[in-house]
Amino acid sequence: MAGEMLPIDKAKFVAAKRAAEYIEDGMRVGLGTGSTAAWLVRCLGEQVRNDGLRIKGIPTSTRTAELAREVGIEIISLDEAKWLDITIDGADEFDGDLNLIKGGGGALLQEKIVATASDQMVVIADIGKEVESLGNFPLPIEVIPFGWQTTQALVEETLISMDVLGRQSSLRMNGDRSFITDEGNYILDLHLNRIGHPRQLAMVLNQMPGVVENGLFIDICDAVVIGYGDGRVEVRDINEGTVEQNKIDFVETDNLFSDLQE
Ligand code: 5RP
């Protein structure tokens, strides 16, 4: 890698590196999507190749599946795994109750299915993802392409009666085309600014025809491993609060850091 790692990348990396310690031989591991989760996949790949770690990975997107294969992790489908020991994934926001907004990378549907089928879900995130209340990050919802504008209008109208500060929404784009999820659907990003009652909103959204899933992860996450730009990590557990504060020593070795710009 040319040059020093940016603090944000260091933060993501140390969170991923610490979270890799949750993984034991023989585990079925849900592999999240996004830049932080990609660090985890690389860390696990290195352990598979160098230390003989034997795991089965269940990816949450085609992107993650490709990376996992590339670094040497055996991949199986969720239906083959049936149940997972653990899922480790990134997040766009997390609050004090470890509720999350996810889906910035458009993989929220598979991510939620995989996390829900796991004994535990551990989130890895840089400290910038921590919020007082959820909603500053636009909330992604996955919608069926058929009649998506009608669904969008219904969602915006429903938001009038919800405890949110904004109710604009936008169709996620990929260049000049609609972004298409791995399941062939669209993403609407809801610009809510603040979500007063995330649990209620998550339930209401999922009751609407045309909405497949929303990016609110309520009562799913068990622990967050938070990375800081100076190499510190903090582990927050849903039951016990902050259980660890540590500093990770790392060397920017060629093999793990060469493909930083994914
Ligand atoms: C993808 C996600 C990601 O986990 C989330 O967007 C965080 O990504 P990053 O680690 O790149 O900040 O939910 O759908």
Side-chain angles (χ1 to χ4, degrees):
M1 188 198 130
E4 266 271 299
M5 266 177 102
L6 295 170
I8 182 80
D9 293 315
K10 274 188 193 170
K12 291 177 181 190
F13 171 71
V14 292
K17 180 96 178 149
R18 170 62 187 84
E21 292 175 24
Y22 283 85
I23 307 304
E24 294 169 16
D25 217 34
M27 278 186 166
R28 289 152 300 174
V29 183
L31 304 170
T33 295
S35 56
T36 321
W39 281 118
L40 173 88
V41 173
R42 291 189 196 103
C43 287
L44 293 179
E46 195 175 56
Q47 289 181 31
V48 166
R49 295 191 310 274
N50 299 346
D51 310 330
L53 176 72
R54 286 165 306 161
I55 55 168
K56 292 187 196 308
I58 295 84
T60 52
S61 62
T62 48
R63 254 174 301 157
T64 297
E66 275 164 27
L67 178 62
R69 278 195 202 96
E70 218 173 275
V71 300
I73 298 174
E74 182 187 345
I75 292 301
I76 60 169
S77 71
L78 177 59
D79 287 337
E80 283 169 309
K82 293 190 175 62
W83 194 256
L84 281 62
D85 297 285
I86 188 168
T87 285
I88 303 183
D89 199 350
D92 300 300
E93 284 186 352
F94 66 92
D95 69 9
D97 295 322
L98 306 195
N99 290 326
L100 319 168
I101 287 185
K102 282 187 54 55
L108 65 106
L109 177 57
Q110 290 191 18
E111 288 173 336
K112 199 182 267 191
I113 294 171
V114 169
T116 305
S118 305
D119 279 341
Q120 59 171 327
M121 182 202 194
V122 174
V123 159
I124 44 180
D126 60 273
I127 184 63
K129 305 284 182 65
E130 181 176 30
V131 293
E132 264 309 290
S133 61
L134 299 173
N136 194 35
F137 190 91
L139 174 66
I141 60 174
E142 182 154 344
V143 298
I144 301 273
F146 174 82
W148 70 269
Q149 285 167 310
T150 305
T151 303
Q152 180 179 29
L154 183 66
V155 167
E156 287 189 357
E157 197 184 309
T158 305
L159 288 173
I160 296 173
S161 58
M162 304 302 296
D163 185 7
V164 293
L165 280 185
R167 56 187 179 90
Q168 298 294 315
S169 65
S170 50
L171 180 70
R172 192 175 299 180
M173 303 298 287
N174 184 9
D176 56 2
R177 290 165 182 242
S178 319
F179 176 92
I180 307 284
T181 70
D182 276 350
E183 305 306 317
N185 296 316
Y186 292 165
I187 297 279
L188 290 177
D189 289 303
L190 311 186
H191 305 273
L192 308 174
N193 302 321
R194 196 187 71 88
I195 302 171
H197 295 98
R199 184 184 309 273
Q200 186 192 20
L201 180 63
M203 284 193 302
V204 168
L205 286 170
N206 277 19
Q207 277 169 0
M208 289 185 207
V211 175
V212 182
E213 191 48 87
N214 69 84
L216 284 164
F217 282 49
I218 310 294
D219 295 338
I220 295 177
C221 172
D222 298 285
V224 179
V225 181
I226 304 164
Y228 292 79
D230 61 2
R232 280 178 300 133
V233 286
E234 186 180 329
V235 181
R236 273 192 220 155
D237 181 272
I238 187 68
N239 298 314
E240 298 165 53
T242 299
V243 287
E244 185 186 313
Q245 282 175 314
N246 220 330
K247 185 145 185 174
I248 302 263
D249 289 324
F250 67 96
V251 188
E252 296 183 26
T253 51
D254 277 341
N255 50 354
L256 205 58
F257 293 94
S258 57
D259 54 351
L260 179 63
Q261 312 298 337
E262 61 158 321

